[in-house]
Amino acid sequence: MPQAPTDKQSDALVRIRGLYFTRGERVIFDGVDMDIPRGSVTAIMGPSGTGKTTLLQLIGGQLVPDRGSVQVDGQEVQDLSRSQLYELRKRMGMLFQSGALLTDLDVFDNVAFPLREHTDLPESMIRDLVLMKLQAVGLRGARDLQPSELSGGMARRVALARAIALDPMMIMYDEPFTGQDPISKGALLKLIRLLNDALGLTSIIVSHDVEETEEISDYIYVISGGRVVGHGTPETLANTDSEWVRQFMRGLPDGPVPFHYPAPDYRDDLLQA
Amino acid sequence: MKQSKTTELLVGMFVAAGLAALFVLAMQVSNLSTLSQGNSYQLKARFDNIGGLKVRSPVTAGGVRVGRVAGIEYDDQRYQAVVTLLVEDKYDHFPDDTSASIFTAGLLGEQYISLDPGGSEEYLQDGSEIEITQSALVLEKLVSKFLFSKTSEGK
Amino acid sequence: MIAWIRRLGRTGIDFFEKLGRGSLFLAATLVGLPEVLRRPRLLVAQMLSVGVLSLLLIAISGLFVGMVLGLQGYNTLVDFDAEESLGVVVALSIVRELGPVVTALLFAGRAGSALTAEIGLMKATEQLSGMEMMAVDPVHRVIAPRFLAGFLSMPLLAAVFGAVGIYGGYFVGVGLLGVDEGSYWAQMQAKVDLYEDVMNGVIKSLVFGFVVTWIAVFEGYDTVPTSEGVSRATTRTVVHSAFAVLALDFVLTALMFGKD
């Protein structure tokens, strides 16, 4: 259900307005507006180092914006008290780049972790729930493995099972495709779509892998230099007017982002010695 | 959370070993076994000079440890040191003419109080004062006394 | 010259800034302690890695320290015909000083560095961040049980060190060098006071356990989340702990034994 951010605003689960964020001297976001509609898979793309992960941390309330607002499900994240924030986070899942599995627990206990921390369910019910979640990501048979025994793709799938353990309303994926072999990528693509549609989730994907992201997302934001430089459905972005977006989406080596880092004239530089 | 029985067992053994070690330190190493606090009574004794006597110095009778020094104060009315002794309850048959002397264990050893029972029929009670005392021998005084007597002899 | 003074000023500011962050962190950890007591399993798991795995190292070290003290003490005392006092020398050295201090130093090297590395790696692999996003406070869930485990293990380890060390001195003094067994224990019992010596030793080890564990968990939590950052933090834990233990030992000794 692709849609422009301006219309049907009430449908936006995450609404970002005038976001301004600095880290030290560096301006990471300089006035970002963004709407993430409910029930869709929305991708946030951009070159490395544009603060895509930072954006997820701002949505999750791990960082506080210098100016502007981040609303999740109608709540201003930066104004929430600690306990309200924790309540909100129970309804958010986040898939870290590394999986972030707890290394001292095995697969089963990792998936059971949020259930045990936040519910008083009896052990038998936890077992059922964990096996269901593991079955959903296809790793029910791997429940007794230690995180160190998992491949990168499997670790992410376990982390995904853990992220959906509390049946959240949204999941944020931080670079889910980076460093994955084609089979794992395929599995993740299938899972993201499947979970999104079957569980009625809202998914936010942060990535710079154009191909996979285009394939899966309903709507794409491209950010660069602290601003949104383009947004639209994958199809519209493919035929965009913006030179920059075209360079990024097609992976061209030269364009608005020059191949050469700014340097004095080549000939002068050589002759100087 | 699954937690293996071995973990619990090992931690339990660790805590037990630690507590046992503390117990050894308390019973075997320190003076807890020789000092039964609370079950003792107080005596007072005045000395002109206590030398190097300290709080916690032993109190003996016939060479057997019967208590310890609990406090030392100076009485500036009578210009004497007042020593409080704690003597164990089971040694409560000291006659009231018992004398207290400050001796030194060995040439360089620490000083202690020795009680010498007298022949009275009355016994010392909690809070009684020992009337007959002999001060510590201070080495310098001893030497000067010796030299003094030598020179007077030589005359 | 001015640059040098400025650098000194910067170092000072950095130090106090870090101390401030460390104190806030400590406060947050202490707030988390009641939660740990409600879930003793978390504590037991940490006691295993912090306490039990240090036990053998501490016990063996204690044995050797006690044996060395027995040998050195005997060689010195025998010149004064006072070898009967060997027990006093060994027991007082160990109970008052070497027990708490050497245990704390070994503890910092064994358990402290492991704590820092573990927590630092959890941070570097986004496990702490992941917990936060799962609405679980990592300070309560990860730090507090480790802190409590370290704080509780340290006096127990120091006691083991002390007891083993005194038997090590006994083994050398009585077993090998022929000091009278009765004198060894009797003189020791006459001169070592439960409150003055043993309790003060325990107090020292509690203080050291608190400080070393605090430094270890804070350095881990404050790590720059890279492998280089973790290894630096681990080194810092050992260095700062050793420094803090020795400096605090002087202060505590002055307070406890300074007056008579």
Side-chain angles (χ1 to χ4, degrees):
Chain A
M1 55 186 99
Q3 53 204 323
T6 39
D7 45 15
K8 288 187 88 182
Q9 278 188 353
S10 56
D11 243 21
L13 181 67
V14 178
R15 182 182 305 161
I16 298 171
R17 286 291 175 271
L19 179 67
Y20 183 83
F21 183 78
T22 55
R23 188 164 264 170
E25 303 282 291
R26 251 184 83 209
V27 177
I28 310 277
F29 296 118
D30 184 10
V32 169
D33 295 329
M34 211 177 263
D35 283 291
I36 310 239
R38 284 178 203 273
S40 69
V41 177
T42 306
I44 298 163
M45 308 196 67
S48 308
T50 41
K52 299 188 296 293
T53 305
T54 309
L55 188 64
L56 292 187
Q57 288 180 313
L58 284 161
I59 295 174
Q62 285 186 307
L63 296 173
V64 177
D66 296 330
R67 282 205 298 277
S69 88
V70 177
Q71 271 187 22
V72 176
D73 201 23
Q75 292 174 290
E76 289 281 345
V77 174
Q78 66 269 29
D79 298 338
L80 292 179
S81 73
R82 204 183 130 82
S83 53
Q84 287 171 320
L85 184 62
Y86 272 39
E87 279 309 310
L88 180 64
R89 281 183 189 163
K90 287 182 195 171
R91 298 194 288 142
M92 294 178 171
M94 176 140 174
L95 190 71
F96 285 85
Q97 203 167 338
S98 58
L101 294 178
L102 301 173
T103 35
D104 53 345
L105 302 178
D106 64 15
V107 166
F108 183 95
D109 287 334
N110 257 292
V111 179
F113 181 81
L115 295 168
R116 286 183 176 140
E117 292 291 325
H118 294 308
T119 68
D120 290 321
L121 296 176
E123 197 55 31
S124 62
M125 195 177 287
I126 287 184
R127 192 185 124 87
D128 292 348
L129 280 170
V130 170
L131 292 184
M132 276 164 58
K133 306 296 176 189
L134 279 174
Q135 173 72 15
V137 297
L139 290 177
R140 189 166 44 84
R143 72 186 98 155
D144 293 328
L145 296 182
Q146 293 296 317
S148 54
E149 297 171 287
L150 300 174
S151 70
M154 283 163 81
R156 273 177 225 194
R157 278 153 72 187
V158 173
L160 189 52
R162 185 178 67 178
I164 58 171
L166 288 174
D167 292 321
M169 59 182 178
M170 63 184 276
I171 298 190
M172 298 185 274
Y173 299 88
D174 187 5
E175 300 283 4
F177 310 115
T178 309
Q180 300 290 303
D181 62 63
I183 300 176
S184 306
K185 270 187 201 172
L188 273 168
L189 281 171
K190 180 180 157 218
L191 271 173
I192 294 173
R193 189 80 250 175
L194 195 75
L195 291 174
N196 188 77
D197 297 349
L199 301 177
L201 297 171
T202 302
S203 308
I204 306 175
I205 300 177
V206 150
S207 178
H208 52 230
D209 294 294
V210 176
E211 222 175 287
E212 291 80 9
T213 314
E214 268 186 328
E215 185 183 330
I216 194 165
S217 41
D218 301 317
Y219 204 84
I220 298 177
Y221 282 91
V222 183
I223 54 177
S224 174
R227 291 171 174 280
V228 175
V229 293
H231 56 84
T233 59
E235 298 79 43
T236 47
L237 273 186
N239 308 310
T240 175
D241 301 334
S242 161
E243 286 271 334
W244 197 98
V245 174
R246 199 178 308 141
Q247 185 192 0
F248 180 78
M249 297 298 280
R250 299 193 185 155
L252 304 174
D254 211 349
V257 179
F259 174 72
H260 290 290
Y261 192 80
D265 187 69
Y266 189 36
R267 187 180 312 180
D268 293 352
D269 224 5
L270 285 178
L271 288 177
Q272 239 167 26
Chain B
M1 189 159 317
K2 280 180 286 185
Q3 190 159 61
S4 71
K5 292 237 161 57
T6 11
T7 305
E8 286 168 4
L9 189 71
L10 284 170
V11 172
M13 276 160 54
F14 164 61
V15 174
L19 293 179
L22 271 177
F23 186 74
V24 166
L25 289 182
M27 297 308 294
Q28 176 79 314
V29 175
S30 83
N31 53 0
L32 183 68
S33 43
T34 58
L35 171 166
S36 37
Q37 205 144 27
N39 303 325
S40 49
Y41 64 101
Q42 269 195 5
L43 296 176
K44 282 202 188 305
R46 293 172 178 273
F47 295 93
D48 293 325
N49 191 323
I50 58 163
L53 195 73
K54 290 200 176 68
V55 173
R56 295 209 293 122
S57 293
V59 175
T60 64
V64 179
R65 188 182 170 126
V66 295
R68 63 189 175 96
V69 174
I72 297 173
E73 268 155 33
Y74 186 66
D75 177 353
D76 62 358
Q77 303 298 314
R78 293 169 60 175
Y79 309 113
Q80 278 181 321
V82 183
V83 176
T84 311
L85 317 177
L86 275 182
V87 180
E88 288 180 44
D89 267 349
K90 56 182 170 181
Y91 308 116
D92 59 352
H93 280 61
F94 286 109
D96 64 359
D97 58 349
T98 295
S99 67
S101 322
I102 300 179
F103 289 138
T104 307
L107 191 58
L108 299 170
E110 68 167 344
Q111 293 187 300
Y112 65 95
I113 292 183
S114 171
L115 300 178
D116 280 310
S120 168
E121 297 287 312
E122 302 288 309
Y123 297 119
L124 288 170
Q125 303 295 322
D126 185 33
S128 317
E129 183 167 331
I130 298 175
E131 306 287 347
I132 314 160
T133 64
Q134 188 194 333
S135 288
L137 287 179
V138 179
L139 204 59
E140 290 90 330
K141 279 191 180 172
L142 215 61
V143 171
S144 69
K145 205 184 272 178
F146 174 73
L147 289 177
F148 188 70
S149 64
K150 275 287 174 199
T151 39
S152 50
E153 256 176 42
K155 264 183 191 169
Chain C
M1 184 63 188
I2 289 186
W4 187 80
I5 294 176
R6 263 183 55 197
R7 219 174 58 211
L8 194 69
R10 168 89 49 83
T11 316
I13 291 169
D14 285 352
F15 173 76
F16 283 110
E17 200 252 324
K18 187 158 189 173
L19 196 67
R21 268 184 298 142
S23 306
L24 289 176
F25 173 77
L26 180 66
T29 307
L30 295 179
V31 169
L33 287 184
E35 204 172 312
V36 178
L37 296 177
R38 279 202 303 276
R39 296 172 65 182
R41 278 157 174 274
L42 293 179
L43 179 65
V44 169
Q46 291 312 317
M47 290 284 278
L48 179 74
S49 56
V50 173
V52 177
L53 300 183
S54 310
L55 185 61
L56 193 64
L57 170 77
I58 300 281
I60 292 177
S61 308
L63 183 69
F64 280 114
V65 168
M67 285 163 67
V68 168
L69 277 176
L71 207 54
Q72 293 281 21
Y74 180 84
N75 286 339
T76 309
L77 289 171
V78 81
D79 292 344
F80 301 100
D81 272 341
E83 68 269 23
E84 312 298 313
S85 302
L86 184 64
V88 184
V89 172
V90 171
L92 282 185
S93 317
I94 287 186
V95 169
R96 284 184 172 185
E97 288 297 331
L98 293 174
V101 171
V102 176
T103 308
L105 295 178
L106 292 169
F107 183 76
R110 173 69 180 79
S113 60
L115 278 178
T116 305
E118 190 193 9
I119 296 169
L121 277 175
M122 287 181 84
K123 184 174 181 185
T125 53
E126 297 177 311
Q127 292 182 48
L128 298 184
S129 200
M131 271 192 197
E132 267 182 39
M133 285 309 295
M134 286 188 279
V136 175
D137 189 334
V139 174
H140 292 183
R141 179 64 173 68
V142 175
I143 307 293
R146 285 167 172 77
F147 178 79
L148 190 60
F151 177 63
L152 294 179
S153 296
M154 181 57 206
L156 296 177
L157 290 170
V160 169
F161 183 99
V164 172
I166 284 164
Y167 277 96
Y170 170 85
F171 174 69
V172 169
V174 176
L176 301 181
L177 300 172
V179 174
D180 179 58
E181 175 173 359
S183 311
Y184 185 87
W185 293 118
Q187 293 244 10
M188 189 189 294
Q189 287 169 2
K191 291 287 174 54
V192 179
D193 187 68
L194 178 66
Y195 299 95
E196 196 92 327
D197 300 314
V198 177
M199 288 308 273
N200 277 347
V202 172
I203 291 173
K204 272 187 181 183
S205 60
L206 279 170
V207 173
F208 294 160
F210 188 91
V211 171
V212 170
T213 321
W214 176 24
I215 291 177
V217 292
F218 177 64
E219 285 291 354
Y221 194 75
D222 204 41
T223 302
V224 179
T226 59
S227 31
E228 198 204 354
V230 174
S231 80
R232 275 162 180 264
T234 310
T235 312
R236 269 204 307 273
T237 293
V238 177
V239 174
H240 291 185
S241 299
F243 186 74
V245 164
L246 295 174
L248 274 173
D249 184 48
F250 173 73
V251 175
L252 289 174
T253 306
L255 287 178
M256 289 168 174
F257 305 109
K259 42 183 190 283
D260 70 28

